[in-house]
Amino acid sequence: EADIYQTPRYLVIGTGKKITLECSQTMGHDKMYWYQQDPGMELHLIHYSYGVNSTEKGDLSSESTVSRIRTEHFPLTLESARPSHTSQYLCASRTSGISLYEQYFGPGTRLTVT
Amino acid sequence: AQTVTQSQPEMSVQEAETVTLSCTYDTSENNYYLFWYKQPPSRQMILVIRQEAYKQQNATENRFSVNFQKAAKSFSLKISDSQLGDTAMYFCAFMKRFQGGSEKLVFGKGTKLTVNP
């Protein structure tokens, strides 16, 4: 399996709380991504980064924010969690080199907001 | 707009049999990349196989092979000699690179495959 890690794996939290989902990779990849996977399993890109201090919003509008201060670290933050944020969040990364564009995925964080 | 359609929400197959998962995509571009990803229950998503659109030869990885029909915009996955460990969600994905280095990976809605003993 790929060297990309997400913590926590499971999180149950009350409405209004601030949370940060961690994602780290040890492969030196410059490109990193956050996907939201709904109960029907469909994946939607919510954020991506092509390097340090570079972040962009994805296709699906999200109230979350991200930062990329270090190459290996790409945390996602929700300032005020709501039940509509309940979902699985997947982090992925890939190199810009000649890799045939394969993205490596983390194990995911399953978030439940009560 | 690029879209990826997996028309089979669920499929099942007997162990040791062969199964084919369908995927069609929509694009006006000529150079792009296609992938099949596997997501086992409660485990990480992993790449099964990839195909570059400029290559006419179908990709093969052990028991997994694709039937890439560029004109028909079809990219099906064939799993031979199915094993219990093949039970998973399978996602077809399309990626296109843009000038300037940006890229977009679009996933289908997935096909849930169950391999029965």
Side-chain angles (χ1 to χ4, degrees):
Chain A
E1 295 185 344
D3 295 324
I4 179 165
Y5 310 98
Q6 290 185 243
T7 57
R9 292 291 309 277
Y10 302 92
L11 179 62
V12 180
I13 201 163
T15 297
K17 300 291 186 183
K18 177 180 178 179
I19 58 171
T20 296
L21 308 185
E22 302 288 349
C23 175
S24 295
Q25 48 91 10
T26 57
M27 298 173 282
H29 290 171
D30 49 354
K31 297 189 175 184
M32 297 189 74
Y33 310 83
W34 275 104
Y35 293 89
Q36 185 172 338
Q37 187 171 31
D38 61 28
M41 303 299 282
E42 191 169 1
L43 287 120
H44 303 281
L45 180 68
I46 52 175
H47 297 284
Y48 62 97
S49 167
Y50 287 165
V52 171
N53 295 324
S54 157
T55 61
E56 300 287 345
K57 288 189 179 294
D59 295 332
L60 182 68
S61 176
S62 174
E63 294 167 345
S64 58
T65 59
V66 293
S67 62
R68 190 87 182 278
I69 299 173
R70 302 198 316 265
T71 297
E72 63 272 20
H73 194 213
F74 190 40
L76 180 145
T77 298
L78 277 165
E79 290 292 333
S80 179
R82 297 209 304 264
S84 61
H85 297 139
T86 294
S87 191
Q88 167 139 280
Y89 293 84
L90 298 179
C91 181
S93 72
R94 80 165 191 86
T95 180
S96 292
I98 301 174
S99 68
L100 299 178
Y101 312 110
E102 174 182 354
Q103 290 188 14
Y104 294 86
F105 284 81
T109 293
R110 186 167 296 281
L111 172 66
T112 302
V113 183
T114 60
Chain B
Q2 281 85 225
T3 60
V4 178
T5 301
Q6 293 179 248
S7 58
Q8 305 149 315
E10 292 191 41
M11 293 191 73
S12 63
V13 63
Q14 292 299 121
E15 199 174 4
E17 297 293 311
T18 295
V19 64
T20 298
L21 309 184
S22 301
C23 174
T24 58
Y25 57 94
D26 183 27
T27 182
S28 57
E29 301 301 321
N30 191 51
N31 188 24
Y32 49 88
Y33 304 86
L34 296 160
F35 306 88
W36 278 98
Y37 279 89
K38 169 185 176 181
Q39 187 178 31
S42 302
R43 292 184 62 188
Q44 275 170 270
M45 181 113 65
I46 58 172
L47 180 70
V48 174
I49 200 165
R50 66 170 73 88
Q51 175 84 41
E52 298 99 305
Y54 65 87
K55 288 187 177 180
Q56 292 185 335
Q57 187 173 5
N58 289 325
T60 299
E61 288 287 342
N62 300 312
R63 298 183 295 107
F64 299 88
S65 61
V66 298
N67 183 5
F68 173 49
Q69 301 289 329
K70 191 173 183 179
K73 298 179 183 176
S74 171
F75 183 60
S76 61
L77 174 70
K78 185 172 83 171
I79 306 174
S80 304
D81 186 24
S82 297
Q83 300 175 0
L84 297 178
D86 295 334
T87 293
M89 282 291 291
Y90 286 82
F91 292 93
C92 179
F94 167 99
M95 197 188 85
K96 180 185 179 303
R97 296 195 73 196
F98 300 88
Q99 283 187 339
S102 65
E103 62 194 38
K104 183 174 181 178
L105 187 63
V106 179
F107 287 87
K109 293 188 177 183
T111 295
K112 183 179 179 181
L113 176 67
T114 301
V115 180
N116 298 309

